[in-house]
């Protein structure tokens, strides 16, 4: 099975070469038969890649330690779930998952692109083939997941304990679906530049793919944040780690691309801007791949440390980013810019939104790469941490958040900012009340905390205001308004949910940053402590034997005001013998939208143990907001107007001529 998987990977590489050349040549020469080759070759390449991935997965499930990749990242005693997810819990396996998703998206384009113009479809599949060929070659030459060991070891080295978690089953696949999903937008952009034209077909295809990739990337980032929060035992949700930034930058650029595609579809404007954003978004995705795989960073996310891999991926970056930008510079002057609009309009609001997002992306990019560039040029090592990002990114994102509710209320082409402001007066009043309540009734509230909570309520109420106004509540009867609400396009609901989700995330961030309580202390069995008005009793440590680890479990019990025991939570320290690595498993108790978070430290003499305890108000809203944003994107994707495919012309109906009156 292992040899079959390796051979299937080689065949997939060969087919990707065919896919990258034959349809493109057919489009240039007008040969329909050559253009038609792209579809079957793309689908077959996906089937072969799936076979290769299945072969590697089988090796993991069967603990075949004759495969070097399995020996380095698995263990016979590891739970079956982690044997399966361990397939992509390493450099080689994760790259195979990367190309599997890439070929899957290419197969979707081939399957659903029958109504695309033949030349555009051929060029798009050819560009997808270029990307696939480059990464297949990278895997086969530097990262072969099927390399054998002779003789085969009896036991494996086990998977990194931090990765032995359900988060590995969700976070990387979602993240890759987002990263690679933007490759379709990139392929459409390069195909349009090759042809030298952009039309309605192009615009209608790009927006759904952008939206789908954005939904997956949002979920991947949110899941990664929550995974780090509960697994690493540090109690934080975002560290501005360079690899975290590497996933955040494509999300920011993809959000800008999504809004730009809306303007292009509705008003046939911002064509060149949309093309550039499609190129930059996937380029940032490739940059994230380079940062993780090259070994230039020391991070919990970084898999590879082989310099040859980094050089290979750097060459891929130069080829695709440099080549696409050079083609853009060559062709952009010959492309029409699109329709005109007034600055005060929905188009103008979306352009302003994109300016803030792209500037914020550039800020994060500079803060992430500057230490690397400085070290490469001078040898000096510096770190750019949270203070820089919080100050620069926050200064850009706050004005953007204040402007978000205005966009959906402005008319296309020419809007009335004063009328939109009047419609938002109720939302503004609600946000102002929330700020006043925060300042007057919450102990320790600062002006910045009140401002943050006001912005969060402004976003939530602004999103609801859009639905209320479009439904006519207050102007017509409740029954008619509900009927209108149910009849609104799903894209309207999707927009409102996405903006509401941003508001919930902001509320969660402000709540936990401004009102978090923290205690570090030593506790003996039977001792109690108080945090944020809650009494917690430590009941001691108990040993526990897991399938491939040992752990000491600490039991904590919440005590109510009457002295009765309430809910309990377990925090533990694990040790994995195969890897010789300890991990911290935090104990978390959710109460409403808030959480009590307990992490164990070192064990001291006389039975005492160091305990790190946090009370985190509204922290779950951070990830709930991410889920609501994903829901908004998914609802928008179900809108029939955003179905994947080119718009078809409706047959013209000729009215029957009136018959002459009988004489």
């Amino acid at each position: 099975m292992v040899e079959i998987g390796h051979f299937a990977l080689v065949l997939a590489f060969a087919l990707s070469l065919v896919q990258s050349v034959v349809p493109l040549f057919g489009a240039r020469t007008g040969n329909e038969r050559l253009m038609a080759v792209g579809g079957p070759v793309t689908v077959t390449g996906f089937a072969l890649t799936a076979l290769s991935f299945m072969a590697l997965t089988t090796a993991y499930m069967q603990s075949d330690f004759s495969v070097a990749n399995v020996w380095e990242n698995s263990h016979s005693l590891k739970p079956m779930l982690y044997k399966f997810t361990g397939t992509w819990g390493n450099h080689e396996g994760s790259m195979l998952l990367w190309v599997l998703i890439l070929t899957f998206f290419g197969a979707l384009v081939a399957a659903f692109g029958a109504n695309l113009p033949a030349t555009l479809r051929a060029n798009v599949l050819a560009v997808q083939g270029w990307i696939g060929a480059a990464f297949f070659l990278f895997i086969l030459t530097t990262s072969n997941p099927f390399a054998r060991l002779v003789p085969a070891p009896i036991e494996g080295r086990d998977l990194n304990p931090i990765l032995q978690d359900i988060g590995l089953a969700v976070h990387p696949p979602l993240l890759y679906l987002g990263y690679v999903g933007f490759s379709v937008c990139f392929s459409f952009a390069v195909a349009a530049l090759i042809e030298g034209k952009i039309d309605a077909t192009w615009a209608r295809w790009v927006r759904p793919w952008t939206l789908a990739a954005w939904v997956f990337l949002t979920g991947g980032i949110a899941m990664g944040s929550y995974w780090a929060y509960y697994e690493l035992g540090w109690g934080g949700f975002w560290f501005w780690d360079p690899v975290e930034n590497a996933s955040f930058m494509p999300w920011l650029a993809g959000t800008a691309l999504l809004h730009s595609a809306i303007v292009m579809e509705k008003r046939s404007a911002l064509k060149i801007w949309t093309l550039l954003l499609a190129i930059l978004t996937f380029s940032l995705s490739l940059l994230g791949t380079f940062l993780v795989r090259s070994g230039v960073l020391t991070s919990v996310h970084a898999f590879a440390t082989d310099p040859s891999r980094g050089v290979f991926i750097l060459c891929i970056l130069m080829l695709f980013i440099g080549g696409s930008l050079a083609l853009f510079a060559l062709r952009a002057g010959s492309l029409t810019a699109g329709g005109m609009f007034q600055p005060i309009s929905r188009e103008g609001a979306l352009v302003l939104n994109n300016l803030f997002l792209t500037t914020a992306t550039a800020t994060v990019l500079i803060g992430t790469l500057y230490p690397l560039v400085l070290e490469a040029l001078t040898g000096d090592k510096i770190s750019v941490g949270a203070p820089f990002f919080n100050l620069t990114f926050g200064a850009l994102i706050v004005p953007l958040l204040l402007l978000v509710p205005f966009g959906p209320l402005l008319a296309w082409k020419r809007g009335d900012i004063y009328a939109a402001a009047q419609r938002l007066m109720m939302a503004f009043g609600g946000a102002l009340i929330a700020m006043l309540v925060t300042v007057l009734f919450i102990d320790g509230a600062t002006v910045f905390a009140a401002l943050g909570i006001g912005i969060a309520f402004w976003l939530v109420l602004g999103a609801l205001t859009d639905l209320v106004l479009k439904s006519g509540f207050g102007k017509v009867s409740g029954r008619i308004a509900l009927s209108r609400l149910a009849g609104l396009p799903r894209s309207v609901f999707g927009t409102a949910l996405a903006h509401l989700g941003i508001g919930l995330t902001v509320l969660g961030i402000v709540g936990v940053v401004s009102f978090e309580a923290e205690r570090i202390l030593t506790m003996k069995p039977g001792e109690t402590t108080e945090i944020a008005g809650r009494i917690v009793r430590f009941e001691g440590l108990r040993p526990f034997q897991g399938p491939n680890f040992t752990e000491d479990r600490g039991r904590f019990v919440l005590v109510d005001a009457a002295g009765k025991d309430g809910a309990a939570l377990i925090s533990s320290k694990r040790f994995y013998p195969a890897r010789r690595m300890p991990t911290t498993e935090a104990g978390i108790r959710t109460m409403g939208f808030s959480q009590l978070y307990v992490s164990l430290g070192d064990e001291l003499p006389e039975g005492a143990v160091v305990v790190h305890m946090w009370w985190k108000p509204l922290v779950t809203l951070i990830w709930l907001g991410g889920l609501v944003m994903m829901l908004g994107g998914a609802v928008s994707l179900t809108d029939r107007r955003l179905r994947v495919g080119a718009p078809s012309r409706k047959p013209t109906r000729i009215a029957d001529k009136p018959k002459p009156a009988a004489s």
Side-chain angles (χ1 to χ4, degrees):
M1 190 67 183
V2 172
E3 276 65 42
I4 291 174
H6 191 190
F7 187 57
L9 196 61
V10 175
L11 286 179
F13 169 60
L15 287 181
S16 68
L17 292 176
V18 174
Q19 177 187 340
S20 62
V21 174
V22 175
L24 180 65
F25 183 74
R28 300 298 294 174
T29 59
N31 190 317
E32 293 185 0
R33 289 187 176 182
L34 293 181
M35 286 189 286
V37 168
V41 167
T42 302
V43 174
T44 307
F46 164 65
L48 288 170
T49 309
L51 176 60
S52 180
F53 187 81
M54 185 176 66
L56 183 62
T57 303
T58 302
Y60 267 90
M61 303 286 276
Q62 296 178 347
S63 296
D64 185 354
F65 299 125
S66 69
V67 180
N69 184 260
V70 178
W71 170 71
E72 290 175 350
N73 300 283
S74 192
H75 193 279
S76 60
L77 296 178
K78 189 171 65 173
M80 187 60 69
L81 172 63
Y82 303 145
K83 288 183 179 180
F84 172 70
T85 59
T87 306
W88 58 82
N90 56 87
H91 169 72
E92 292 82 3
S94 65
M95 289 309 303
L96 187 57
L97 176 64
W98 206 98
V99 295
L100 174 67
I101 295 173
L102 178 70
T103 55
F104 171 68
F105 277 117
L108 288 180
V109 174
F112 293 103
N115 54 348
L116 275 172
T119 55
L120 178 61
R121 181 171 180 262
N123 286 329
V124 170
L125 292 179
V127 177
Q128 286 287 111
W130 298 348
I131 302 170
F135 279 95
F136 277 124
L137 184 62
F138 171 71
I139 292 174
L140 290 171
T141 56
T142 71
S143 309
N144 180 13
F146 298 104
R148 289 284 198 176
L149 291 175
V150 180
I154 298 176
E155 188 55 87
R157 299 176 59 188
D158 208 359
L159 181 66
N160 185 335
I162 295 175
L163 301 180
Q164 295 188 38
D165 186 85
I166 189 63
L168 185 63
V170 182
H171 169 57
L174 282 177
L175 206 61
Y176 286 3
L177 284 166
Y179 278 164
V180 183
F182 285 122
S183 71
V184 179
C185 308
F186 174 84
S187 297
F188 269 92
V190 173
L193 291 172
I194 291 173
E195 291 194 52
K197 65 177 181 180
I198 316 174
D199 53 20
T201 301
W202 190 93
R204 193 165 185 84
W205 264 84
V206 165
R207 188 182 172 198
W209 285 110
T210 304
L211 188 55
W214 182 87
V215 168
F216 288 126
L217 188 56
T218 301
I221 293 173
M223 183 63 227
S225 169
Y226 188 61
W227 184 12
Y229 166 78
Y230 72 77
E231 177 64 25
L232 298 182
W234 65 302
F237 60 90
W238 194 260
F239 191 64
W240 290 109
D241 179 280
V243 183
E244 289 177 337
N245 297 345
S247 65
F248 191 43
M249 288 185 289
W251 187 87
L252 292 171
T255 305
L257 171 61
L258 180 59
H259 289 86
S260 185
I262 293 173
V263 177
M264 184 174 174
E265 182 189 1
K266 297 289 186 181
R267 302 297 306 166
S268 190
L270 303 183
K271 293 181 179 179
I272 297 176
W273 183 233
T274 306
L275 273 176
L276 181 60
L277 282 174
I279 293 172
L280 293 179
T281 301
F282 184 62
S283 297
L284 290 170
S285 298
L286 290 178
L287 177 64
T289 303
F290 169 72
L291 291 176
V292 176
R293 310 292 161 189
S294 62
V296 299
L297 295 175
T298 301
S299 167
V300 69
H301 305 83
F303 287 128
T305 57
D306 186 352
S308 64
R309 294 171 176 173
V311 172
F312 199 116
I313 297 181
L314 188 60
C315 291
I316 293 176
L317 259 69
M318 294 173 61
L319 175 64
F320 287 106
I321 299 177
S324 59
L325 291 178
L327 183 60
F328 176 81
L330 184 65
R331 291 283 198 176
S334 62
L335 298 174
T336 56
M340 303 296 292
F341 52 86
Q342 294 295 320
I344 304 299
S345 62
R346 189 175 299 186
E347 298 96 323
L350 293 174
V351 169
L352 187 61
N353 166 85
N354 284 3
L355 290 175
F356 275 111
L357 285 173
T358 51
T359 306
T361 305
T363 299
V364 178
L365 179 65
I366 292 171
T368 302
L369 295 185
Y370 178 73
L372 302 178
V373 174
L374 183 66
E375 183 179 358
L377 295 178
T378 67
D380 297 334
K381 291 187 177 183
I382 66 168
S383 61
V384 176
F388 168 81
F389 291 107
N390 291 339
L391 181 62
T392 57
F393 183 79
L396 290 167
I397 211 66
V398 168
L400 173 61
L401 296 178
L402 293 174
L403 293 172
V404 164
F406 284 93
L409 299 182
L410 291 172
W412 292 105
K413 199 171 183 179
R414 182 190 295 271
D416 187 343
I417 189 68
Y418 299 107
Q422 289 177 340
R423 297 188 188 102
L424 287 168
M425 285 304 296
M426 292 293 291
F428 177 76
L432 186 61
I433 291 173
M435 292 173 63
L436 291 175
V437 169
T438 301
V439 172
L440 296 177
F441 297 102
I442 299 181
D443 294 335
T446 64
V447 174
F448 289 106
L451 177 62
I453 289 178
I455 291 174
F457 273 85
W458 166 250
L459 290 167
V460 171
L461 296 176
L464 297 177
T465 298
D466 183 37
L467 295 178
V468 168
L469 292 175
K470 286 182 169 64
S471 304
F473 281 98
K475 295 183 179 179
V476 297
S477 66
R479 183 176 180 180
I480 295 176
L482 289 175
S483 176
R484 289 183 180 179
L485 179 66
L488 289 176
R490 292 178 184 175
S491 59
V492 174
F493 282 104
T495 301
L497 284 171
H499 291 172
L500 189 148
I502 295 173
L504 292 178
T505 296
V506 170
L507 184 58
I509 292 172
V510 174
V512 72
V513 169
S514 300
F515 305 111
E516 176 183 84
E518 180 180 6
R519 289 207 65 188
I520 303 177
L521 69 162
T522 58
M523 297 185 73
K524 294 181 179 180
E527 292 184 346
T528 62
T529 187
E530 184 270 337
I531 182 169
R534 291 158 181 83
I535 300 175
V536 183
R537 185 176 68 245
F538 176 49
E539 294 198 333
L541 296 175
R542 298 288 185 275
F544 178 80
Q545 178 66 51
N548 61 335
F549 63 85
T550 60
E551 71 176 351
D552 290 323
R553 291 182 171 181
R555 177 181 169 86
F556 296 83
V557 177
L558 286 168
V559 181
D560 61 20
K564 296 182 179 180
D565 290 353
L569 56 88
I570 303 295
S571 180
S572 61
K573 298 281 289 186
R574 286 185 181 176
F575 181 74
Y576 290 78
R579 280 274 180 168
R580 311 298 298 174
M581 282 182 61
T583 64
T584 299
E585 303 296 320
I588 300 175
R589 181 70 185 180
T590 302
M591 289 170 271
F593 295 119
S594 305
Q595 289 184 334
L596 177 65
Y597 187 109
V598 180
S599 177
L600 290 181
D602 296 331
E603 191 172 357
L604 302 176
E606 300 179 0
V609 64
V610 177
V611 177
H612 202 164
M613 195 175 297
W614 290 270
W615 170 250
K616 295 183 171 293
L618 304 181
V619 69
T620 59
L621 289 180
I622 297 174
W623 305 293
L624 178 62
L627 293 176
V628 173
M629 283 186 263
M630 290 182 68
L631 177 62
V635 169
S636 291
L637 276 174
T638 63
D639 193 317
R640 61 183 179 83
R641 298 177 303 167
L642 291 182
R643 65 189 183 279
V644 174
S648 58
R649 291 182 176 274
K650 293 182 179 180
T652 305
R653 183 176 178 181
I654 303 176
D656 296 334
K657 295 182 180 180
K659 297 180 179 179
S663 55

